[in-house]
mmCIF file of all heavy atoms in Angstrom:
data_model
loop_
_atom_site.group_PDB
_atom_site.id
_atom_site.type_symbol
_atom_site.label_atom_id
_atom_site.label_comp_id
_atom_site.label_asym_id
_atom_site.label_seq_id
_atom_site.Cartn_x
_atom_site.Cartn_y
_atom_site.Cartn_z
ATOM 1 N N VAL A 1 -71.038 -43.117 -62.939
ATOM 2 C CA VAL A 1 -70.317 -43.671 -64.098
ATOM 3 C C VAL A 1 -68.926 -44.080 -63.686
ATOM 4 O O VAL A 1 -68.322 -43.520 -62.761
ATOM 5 C CB VAL A 1 -70.255 -42.622 -65.256
ATOM 6 C CG1 VAL A 1 -71.652 -42.386 -65.822
ATOM 7 C CG2 VAL A 1 -69.610 -41.294 -64.848
ATOM 8 N N CYS A 2 -68.361 -45.061 -64.399
ATOM 9 C CA CYS A 2 -67.013 -45.504 -64.200
ATOM 10 C C CYS A 2 -66.235 -45.180 -65.475
ATOM 11 O O CYS A 2 -66.516 -45.713 -66.543
ATOM 12 C CB CYS A 2 -66.981 -47.020 -63.903
ATOM 13 S SG CYS A 2 -65.356 -47.650 -63.511
ATOM 14 N N VAL A 3 -65.271 -44.256 -65.361
ATOM 15 C CA VAL A 3 -64.628 -43.689 -66.511
ATOM 16 C C VAL A 3 -63.092 -43.876 -66.418
ATOM 17 O O VAL A 3 -62.518 -43.663 -65.382
ATOM 18 C CB VAL A 3 -64.939 -42.177 -66.658
ATOM 19 C CG1 VAL A 3 -64.364 -41.602 -67.907
ATOM 20 C CG2 VAL A 3 -66.445 -41.946 -66.594
ATOM 21 N N PRO A 4 -62.455 -44.308 -67.562
ATOM 22 C CA PRO A 4 -61.006 -44.402 -67.544
ATOM 23 C C PRO A 4 -60.364 -43.061 -67.244
ATOM 24 O O PRO A 4 -60.867 -42.002 -67.627
ATOM 25 C CB PRO A 4 -60.655 -44.864 -68.967
ATOM 26 C CG PRO A 4 -61.901 -45.470 -69.509
ATOM 27 C CD PRO A 4 -63.024 -44.729 -68.827
ATOM 28 N N GLN A 5 -59.221 -43.109 -66.536
ATOM 29 C CA GLN A 5 -58.508 -41.862 -66.151
ATOM 30 C C GLN A 5 -58.242 -40.932 -67.311
ATOM 31 O O GLN A 5 -58.321 -39.725 -67.166
ATOM 32 C CB GLN A 5 -57.227 -42.245 -65.457
ATOM 33 C CG GLN A 5 -56.412 -41.040 -65.001
ATOM 34 C CD GLN A 5 -55.101 -41.417 -64.328
ATOM 35 O OE1 GLN A 5 -54.671 -42.550 -64.384
ATOM 36 N NE2 GLN A 5 -54.482 -40.453 -63.705
ATOM 37 N N ASN A 6 -57.917 -41.482 -68.472
ATOM 38 C CA ASN A 6 -57.572 -40.624 -69.618
ATOM 39 C C ASN A 6 -58.813 -39.906 -70.205
ATOM 40 O O ASN A 6 -58.655 -39.065 -71.086
ATOM 41 C CB ASN A 6 -56.843 -41.399 -70.712
ATOM 42 C CG ASN A 6 -57.708 -42.463 -71.339
ATOM 43 O OD1 ASN A 6 -58.565 -43.096 -70.688
ATOM 44 N ND2 ASN A 6 -57.514 -42.706 -72.627
ATOM 45 N N LEU A 7 -60.006 -40.202 -69.713
ATOM 46 C CA LEU A 7 -61.229 -39.531 -70.186
ATOM 47 C C LEU A 7 -61.843 -38.655 -69.090
ATOM 48 O O LEU A 7 -63.017 -38.290 -69.117
ATOM 49 C CB LEU A 7 -62.249 -40.575 -70.662
ATOM 50 C CG LEU A 7 -61.808 -41.414 -71.896
ATOM 51 C CD1 LEU A 7 -62.859 -42.453 -72.208
ATOM 52 C CD2 LEU A 7 -61.526 -40.535 -73.078
ATOM 53 N N VAL A 8 -61.040 -38.319 -68.068
ATOM 54 C CA VAL A 8 -61.478 -37.496 -66.931
ATOM 55 C C VAL A 8 -60.527 -36.317 -66.762
ATOM 56 O O VAL A 8 -59.317 -36.476 -66.870
ATOM 57 C CB VAL A 8 -61.496 -38.340 -65.631
ATOM 58 C CG1 VAL A 8 -61.820 -37.505 -64.430
ATOM 59 C CG2 VAL A 8 -62.439 -39.530 -65.752
ATOM 60 N N VAL A 9 -61.097 -35.132 -66.480
ATOM 61 C CA VAL A 9 -60.283 -33.978 -66.251
ATOM 62 C C VAL A 9 -60.911 -33.192 -65.063
ATOM 63 O O VAL A 9 -62.133 -33.131 -64.966
ATOM 64 C CB VAL A 9 -60.158 -33.089 -67.496
ATOM 65 C CG1 VAL A 9 -61.483 -32.524 -67.931
ATOM 66 C CG2 VAL A 9 -59.137 -31.957 -67.300
ATOM 67 N N LYS A 10 -60.051 -32.653 -64.216
ATOM 68 C CA LYS A 10 -60.531 -31.837 -63.100
ATOM 69 C C LYS A 10 -61.191 -30.561 -63.632
ATOM 70 O O LYS A 10 -60.741 -30.001 -64.606
ATOM 71 C CB LYS A 10 -59.413 -31.483 -62.120
ATOM 72 C CG LYS A 10 -58.892 -32.691 -61.358
ATOM 73 C CD LYS A 10 -57.802 -32.254 -60.411
ATOM 74 C CE LYS A 10 -57.163 -33.446 -59.731
ATOM 75 N NZ LYS A 10 -56.071 -33.063 -58.832
ATOM 76 N N ILE A 11 -62.227 -30.109 -62.956
ATOM 77 C CA ILE A 11 -62.955 -28.916 -63.316
ATOM 78 C C ILE A 11 -62.332 -27.716 -62.557
ATOM 79 O O ILE A 11 -62.171 -27.779 -61.351
ATOM 80 C CB ILE A 11 -64.437 -29.001 -62.949
ATOM 81 C CG1 ILE A 11 -65.103 -30.193 -63.677
ATOM 82 C CG2 ILE A 11 -65.157 -27.717 -63.304
ATOM 83 C CD1 ILE A 11 -66.497 -30.478 -63.197
ATOM 84 N N PRO A 12 -61.979 -26.629 -63.272
ATOM 85 C CA PRO A 12 -61.492 -25.451 -62.588
ATOM 86 C C PRO A 12 -62.528 -24.896 -61.600
ATOM 87 O O PRO A 12 -63.735 -25.069 -61.804
ATOM 88 C CB PRO A 12 -61.271 -24.434 -63.713
ATOM 89 C CG PRO A 12 -61.249 -25.245 -64.981
ATOM 90 C CD PRO A 12 -62.066 -26.483 -64.702
ATOM 91 N N GLU A 13 -62.048 -24.263 -60.538
ATOM 92 C CA GLU A 13 -62.930 -23.722 -59.476
ATOM 93 C C GLU A 13 -64.049 -22.826 -60.010
ATOM 94 O O GLU A 13 -65.144 -22.820 -59.513
ATOM 95 C CB GLU A 13 -62.099 -22.947 -58.466
ATOM 96 C CG GLU A 13 -61.217 -23.824 -57.585
ATOM 97 C CD GLU A 13 -62.017 -24.731 -56.650
ATOM 98 O OE1 GLU A 13 -63.082 -24.307 -56.128
ATOM 99 O OE2 GLU A 13 -61.595 -25.886 -56.434
ATOM 100 N N ASN A 14 -63.740 -21.995 -60.995
ATOM 101 C CA ASN A 14 -64.720 -21.034 -61.495
ATOM 102 C C ASN A 14 -65.671 -21.585 -62.544
ATOM 103 O O ASN A 14 -66.409 -20.810 -63.138
ATOM 104 C CB ASN A 14 -63.978 -19.803 -62.043
ATOM 105 C CG ASN A 14 -63.100 -20.155 -63.250
ATOM 106 O OD1 ASN A 14 -62.799 -21.305 -63.496
ATOM 107 N ND2 ASN A 14 -62.680 -19.110 -63.985
ATOM 108 N N LEU A 15 -65.689 -22.870 -62.752
ATOM 109 C CA LEU A 15 -66.560 -23.477 -63.761
ATOM 110 C C LEU A 15 -67.541 -24.400 -63.077
ATOM 111 O O LEU A 15 -67.169 -25.217 -62.234
ATOM 112 C CB LEU A 15 -65.699 -24.301 -64.766
ATOM 113 C CG LEU A 15 -66.413 -24.811 -66.002
ATOM 114 C CD1 LEU A 15 -66.870 -23.640 -66.880
ATOM 115 C CD2 LEU A 15 -65.466 -25.693 -66.812
ATOM 116 N N GLY A 16 -68.825 -24.267 -63.409
ATOM 117 C CA GLY A 16 -69.843 -25.101 -62.836
ATOM 118 C C GLY A 16 -70.003 -26.451 -63.525
ATOM 119 O O GLY A 16 -69.491 -26.649 -64.631
ATOM 120 N N PHE A 17 -70.754 -27.348 -62.877
ATOM 121 C CA PHE A 17 -71.000 -28.660 -63.440
ATOM 122 C C PHE A 17 -71.730 -28.587 -64.793
ATOM 123 O O PHE A 17 -71.430 -29.372 -65.699
ATOM 124 C CB PHE A 17 -71.795 -29.522 -62.464
ATOM 125 C CG PHE A 17 -71.036 -30.013 -61.270
ATOM 126 C CD1 PHE A 17 -71.463 -29.738 -59.995
ATOM 127 C CD2 PHE A 17 -69.905 -30.772 -61.417
ATOM 128 C CE1 PHE A 17 -70.781 -30.172 -58.894
ATOM 129 C CE2 PHE A 17 -69.165 -31.215 -60.317
ATOM 130 C CZ PHE A 17 -69.639 -30.901 -59.033
ATOM 131 N N ALA A 18 -72.697 -27.696 -64.886
ATOM 132 C CA ALA A 18 -73.479 -27.604 -66.146
ATOM 133 C C ALA A 18 -72.574 -27.302 -67.330
ATOM 134 O O ALA A 18 -72.648 -27.984 -68.371
ATOM 135 C CB ALA A 18 -74.555 -26.542 -66.012
ATOM 136 N N GLN A 19 -71.712 -26.336 -67.190
ATOM 137 C CA GLN A 19 -70.783 -25.999 -68.270
ATOM 138 C C GLN A 19 -69.758 -27.109 -68.521
ATOM 139 O O GLN A 19 -69.465 -27.461 -69.652
ATOM 140 C CB GLN A 19 -70.081 -24.673 -67.975
ATOM 141 C CG GLN A 19 -70.984 -23.465 -67.951
ATOM 142 C CD GLN A 19 -71.709 -23.301 -66.602
ATOM 143 O OE1 GLN A 19 -71.402 -23.955 -65.626
ATOM 144 N NE2 GLN A 19 -72.689 -22.417 -66.590
ATOM 145 N N ALA A 20 -69.233 -27.655 -67.467
ATOM 146 C CA ALA A 20 -68.214 -28.721 -67.568
ATOM 147 C C ALA A 20 -68.791 -29.969 -68.229
ATOM 148 O O ALA A 20 -68.046 -30.700 -68.888
ATOM 149 C CB ALA A 20 -67.624 -29.048 -66.199
ATOM 150 N N SER A 21 -70.073 -30.211 -68.070
ATOM 151 C CA SER A 21 -70.671 -31.420 -68.650
ATOM 152 C C SER A 21 -70.647 -31.406 -70.183
ATOM 153 O O SER A 21 -70.821 -32.450 -70.794
ATOM 154 C CB SER A 21 -72.103 -31.593 -68.171
ATOM 155 O OG SER A 21 -72.992 -30.648 -68.760
ATOM 156 N N SER A 22 -70.395 -30.264 -70.780
ATOM 157 C CA SER A 22 -70.342 -30.183 -72.262
ATOM 158 C C SER A 22 -68.906 -30.315 -72.772
ATOM 159 O O SER A 22 -68.657 -30.065 -73.953
ATOM 160 C CB SER A 22 -70.995 -28.888 -72.755
ATOM 161 O OG SER A 22 -70.247 -27.753 -72.306
ATOM 162 N N ALA A 23 -67.959 -30.688 -71.927
ATOM 163 C CA ALA A 23 -66.556 -30.765 -72.337
ATOM 164 C C ALA A 23 -66.327 -31.643 -73.590
ATOM 165 O O ALA A 23 -65.542 -31.272 -74.458
ATOM 166 C CB ALA A 23 -65.700 -31.295 -71.175
ATOM 167 N N SER A 24 -67.043 -32.749 -73.685
ATOM 168 C CA SER A 24 -66.827 -33.640 -74.826
ATOM 169 C C SER A 24 -67.186 -32.956 -76.124
ATOM 170 O O SER A 24 -66.516 -33.186 -77.174
ATOM 171 C CB SER A 24 -67.674 -34.928 -74.697
ATOM 172 O OG SER A 24 -67.206 -35.726 -73.656
ATOM 173 N N LEU A 25 -68.220 -32.149 -76.123
ATOM 174 C CA LEU A 25 -68.596 -31.441 -77.359
ATOM 175 C C LEU A 25 -67.513 -30.512 -77.809
ATOM 176 O O LEU A 25 -67.172 -30.438 -78.979
ATOM 177 C CB LEU A 25 -69.895 -30.710 -77.147
ATOM 178 C CG LEU A 25 -71.162 -31.534 -77.286
ATOM 179 C CD1 LEU A 25 -71.305 -32.526 -76.111
ATOM 180 C CD2 LEU A 25 -72.385 -30.677 -77.379
ATOM 181 N N GLY A 26 -66.841 -29.840 -76.842
ATOM 182 C CA GLY A 26 -65.714 -28.997 -77.198
ATOM 183 C C GLY A 26 -64.521 -29.796 -77.693
ATOM 184 O O GLY A 26 -63.845 -29.404 -78.671
ATOM 185 N N LEU A 27 -64.317 -30.972 -77.095
ATOM 186 C CA LEU A 27 -63.231 -31.857 -77.543
ATOM 187 C C LEU A 27 -63.416 -32.319 -78.978
ATOM 188 O O LEU A 27 -62.475 -32.395 -79.747
ATOM 189 C CB LEU A 27 -63.098 -33.068 -76.614
ATOM 190 C CG LEU A 27 -62.684 -32.774 -75.177
ATOM 191 C CD1 LEU A 27 -62.794 -34.025 -74.338
ATOM 192 C CD2 LEU A 27 -61.288 -32.270 -75.156
ATOM 193 N N ILE A 28 -64.656 -32.590 -79.319
ATOM 194 C CA ILE A 28 -64.975 -33.022 -80.678
ATOM 195 C C ILE A 28 -64.677 -31.918 -81.653
ATOM 196 O O ILE A 28 -64.084 -32.140 -82.733
ATOM 197 C CB ILE A 28 -66.481 -33.490 -80.768
ATOM 198 C CG1 ILE A 28 -66.643 -34.801 -79.978
ATOM 199 C CG2 ILE A 28 -66.871 -33.688 -82.249
ATOM 200 C CD1 ILE A 28 -68.116 -35.153 -79.710
ATOM 201 N N GLY A 29 -65.048 -30.676 -81.305
ATOM 202 C CA GLY A 29 -64.709 -29.535 -82.147
ATOM 203 C C GLY A 29 -63.230 -29.351 -82.307
ATOM 204 O O GLY A 29 -62.724 -29.085 -83.423
ATOM 205 N N MET A 30 -62.471 -29.461 -81.194
ATOM 206 C CA MET A 30 -61.031 -29.333 -81.265
ATOM 207 C C MET A 30 -60.430 -30.402 -82.156
ATOM 208 O O MET A 30 -59.484 -30.137 -82.902
ATOM 209 C CB MET A 30 -60.439 -29.400 -79.844
ATOM 210 C CG MET A 30 -60.726 -28.185 -79.045
ATOM 211 S SD MET A 30 -60.184 -28.311 -77.297
ATOM 212 C CE MET A 30 -58.481 -28.732 -77.464
ATOM 213 N N GLN A 31 -60.929 -31.627 -82.090
ATOM 214 C CA GLN A 31 -60.396 -32.710 -82.924
ATOM 215 C C GLN A 31 -60.651 -32.401 -84.403
ATOM 216 O O GLN A 31 -59.819 -32.688 -85.247
ATOM 217 C CB GLN A 31 -61.065 -34.036 -82.521
ATOM 218 C CG GLN A 31 -60.606 -35.218 -83.370
ATOM 219 C CD GLN A 31 -59.106 -35.557 -83.252
ATOM 220 O OE1 GLN A 31 -58.383 -34.990 -82.472
ATOM 221 N NE2 GLN A 31 -58.681 -36.478 -84.064
ATOM 222 N N GLY A 32 -61.831 -31.783 -84.692
ATOM 223 C CA GLY A 32 -62.103 -31.398 -86.056
ATOM 224 C C GLY A 32 -61.092 -30.399 -86.568
ATOM 225 O O GLY A 32 -60.624 -30.478 -87.723
ATOM 226 N N VAL A 33 -60.729 -29.425 -85.747
ATOM 227 C CA VAL A 33 -59.738 -28.418 -86.142
ATOM 228 C C VAL A 33 -58.375 -29.144 -86.330
ATOM 229 O O VAL A 33 -57.670 -28.893 -87.297
ATOM 230 C CB VAL A 33 -59.612 -27.307 -85.088
ATOM 231 C CG1 VAL A 33 -58.436 -26.404 -85.393
ATOM 232 C CG2 VAL A 33 -60.921 -26.503 -85.036
ATOM 233 N N ARG A 34 -58.007 -30.015 -85.406
ATOM 234 C CA ARG A 34 -56.724 -30.749 -85.565
ATOM 235 C C ARG A 34 -56.670 -31.513 -86.900
ATOM 236 O O ARG A 34 -55.675 -31.489 -87.607
ATOM 237 C CB ARG A 34 -56.540 -31.728 -84.407
ATOM 238 C CG ARG A 34 -55.979 -31.121 -83.178
ATOM 239 C CD ARG A 34 -55.568 -32.207 -82.182
ATOM 240 N NE ARG A 34 -55.506 -31.597 -80.881
ATOM 241 C CZ ARG A 34 -56.363 -31.838 -79.903
ATOM 242 N NH1 ARG A 34 -57.378 -32.630 -80.089
ATOM 243 N NH2 ARG A 34 -56.250 -31.235 -78.755
ATOM 244 N N ARG A 35 -57.782 -32.222 -87.177
ATOM 245 C CA ARG A 35 -57.774 -33.020 -88.391
ATOM 246 C C ARG A 35 -57.779 -32.171 -89.649
ATOM 247 O O ARG A 35 -57.234 -32.591 -90.684
ATOM 248 C CB ARG A 35 -58.975 -33.986 -88.412
ATOM 249 C CG ARG A 35 -58.818 -35.041 -87.313
ATOM 250 C CD ARG A 35 -59.863 -36.096 -87.407
ATOM 251 N NE ARG A 35 -59.601 -36.909 -88.577
ATOM 252 C CZ ARG A 35 -60.398 -37.897 -88.991
ATOM 253 N NH1 ARG A 35 -61.474 -38.171 -88.316
ATOM 254 N NH2 ARG A 35 -60.114 -38.547 -90.072
ATOM 255 N N ALA A 36 -58.404 -31.010 -89.602
ATOM 256 C CA ALA A 36 -58.401 -30.094 -90.738
ATOM 257 C C ALA A 36 -56.984 -29.538 -90.969
ATOM 258 O O ALA A 36 -56.638 -29.149 -92.099
ATOM 259 C CB ALA A 36 -59.401 -28.949 -90.567
ATOM 260 N N ALA A 37 -56.200 -29.462 -89.885
ATOM 261 C CA ALA A 37 -54.824 -28.965 -89.971
ATOM 262 C C ALA A 37 -54.706 -27.609 -90.657
ATOM 263 O O ALA A 37 -53.968 -27.431 -91.630
ATOM 264 C CB ALA A 37 -53.895 -29.984 -90.638
ATOM 265 N N PRO A 38 -55.424 -26.610 -90.186
ATOM 266 C CA PRO A 38 -55.374 -25.287 -90.809
ATOM 267 C C PRO A 38 -53.987 -24.645 -90.652
ATOM 268 O O PRO A 38 -53.270 -24.908 -89.706
ATOM 269 C CB PRO A 38 -56.429 -24.462 -90.040
ATOM 270 C CG PRO A 38 -56.531 -25.142 -88.716
ATOM 271 C CD PRO A 38 -56.250 -26.608 -88.962
ATOM 272 N N LYS A 39 -53.677 -23.816 -91.635
ATOM 273 C CA LYS A 39 -52.398 -23.092 -91.624
ATOM 274 C C LYS A 39 -52.701 -21.600 -91.577
ATOM 275 O O LYS A 39 -53.806 -21.179 -91.922
ATOM 276 C CB LYS A 39 -51.626 -23.419 -92.934
ATOM 277 C CG LYS A 39 -51.481 -24.882 -93.235
ATOM 278 C CD LYS A 39 -50.305 -25.476 -92.514
ATOM 279 C CE LYS A 39 -50.051 -26.908 -92.926
ATOM 280 N NZ LYS A 39 -50.979 -27.913 -92.470
ATOM 281 N N PHE A 40 -51.714 -20.770 -91.214
ATOM 282 C CA PHE A 40 -51.900 -19.320 -91.233
ATOM 283 C C PHE A 40 -52.338 -18.911 -92.636
ATOM 284 O O PHE A 40 -51.758 -19.352 -93.597
ATOM 285 C CB PHE A 40 -50.610 -18.600 -90.852
ATOM 286 C CG PHE A 40 -50.349 -18.641 -89.362
ATOM 287 C CD1 PHE A 40 -49.328 -19.399 -88.834
ATOM 288 C CD2 PHE A 40 -51.160 -17.919 -88.503
ATOM 289 C CE1 PHE A 40 -49.111 -19.435 -87.474
ATOM 290 C CE2 PHE A 40 -50.938 -17.947 -87.128
ATOM 291 C CZ PHE A 40 -49.914 -18.715 -86.622
ATOM 292 N N GLY A 41 -53.362 -18.085 -92.663
ATOM 293 C CA GLY A 41 -53.867 -17.587 -93.960
ATOM 294 C C GLY A 41 -55.080 -18.364 -94.450
ATOM 295 O O GLY A 41 -55.788 -17.923 -95.341
ATOM 296 N N ASP A 42 -55.336 -19.558 -93.922
ATOM 297 C CA ASP A 42 -56.495 -20.340 -94.312
ATOM 298 C C ASP A 42 -57.783 -19.623 -93.803
ATOM 299 O O ASP A 42 -57.748 -18.999 -92.760
ATOM 300 C CB ASP A 42 -56.474 -21.736 -93.729
ATOM 301 C CG ASP A 42 -55.452 -22.653 -94.369
ATOM 302 O OD1 ASP A 42 -54.863 -22.236 -95.384
ATOM 303 O OD2 ASP A 42 -55.247 -23.765 -93.848
ATOM 304 N N VAL A 43 -58.819 -19.749 -94.564
ATOM 305 C CA VAL A 43 -60.119 -19.219 -94.143
ATOM 306 C C VAL A 43 -60.971 -20.381 -93.629
ATOM 307 O O VAL A 43 -61.113 -21.421 -94.327
ATOM 308 C CB VAL A 43 -60.848 -18.512 -95.323
ATOM 309 C CG1 VAL A 43 -62.205 -18.018 -94.898
ATOM 310 C CG2 VAL A 43 -59.974 -17.345 -95.819
ATOM 311 N N ILE A 44 -61.505 -20.228 -92.438
ATOM 312 C CA ILE A 44 -62.293 -21.305 -91.796
ATOM 313 C C ILE A 44 -63.624 -20.738 -91.360
ATOM 314 O O ILE A 44 -63.687 -19.623 -90.831
ATOM 315 C CB ILE A 44 -61.539 -21.870 -90.572
ATOM 316 C CG1 ILE A 44 -60.215 -22.469 -91.024
ATOM 317 C CG2 ILE A 44 -62.396 -22.888 -89.870
ATOM 318 C CD1 ILE A 44 -59.328 -22.877 -89.859
ATOM 319 N N ALA A 45 -64.673 -21.501 -91.552
ATOM 320 C CA ALA A 45 -66.011 -21.112 -91.088
ATOM 321 C C ALA A 45 -66.419 -22.103 -90.027
ATOM 322 O O ALA A 45 -66.262 -23.331 -90.186
ATOM 323 C CB ALA A 45 -66.994 -21.092 -92.230
#
């Protein structure tokens, strides 16, 4: 694959390719949290 630099991140030594390949799914979850903009005291499921 040919990927723009801003969509590539180095994998830490202790992380395998299988786990690292799911990075985008984690990023999508993190973006959901950012967009929800939770505050201290909010209840989130």
Side-chain angles (χ1 to χ4, degrees):
V1 294
C2 185
V3 184
Q5 179 181 13
N6 66 325
L7 297 176
V8 175
V9 64
K10 290 181 187 178
I11 301 172
E13 288 294 323
N14 63 343
L15 190 65
F17 287 123
Q19 294 81 11
S21 73
S22 65
S24 292
L25 279 69
L27 294 170
I28 292 166
M30 287 173 56
Q31 178 64 7
V33 172
R34 277 192 200 107
R35 292 189 70 185
K39 311 275 185 287
F40 284 109
D42 288 352
V43 177
I44 298 172

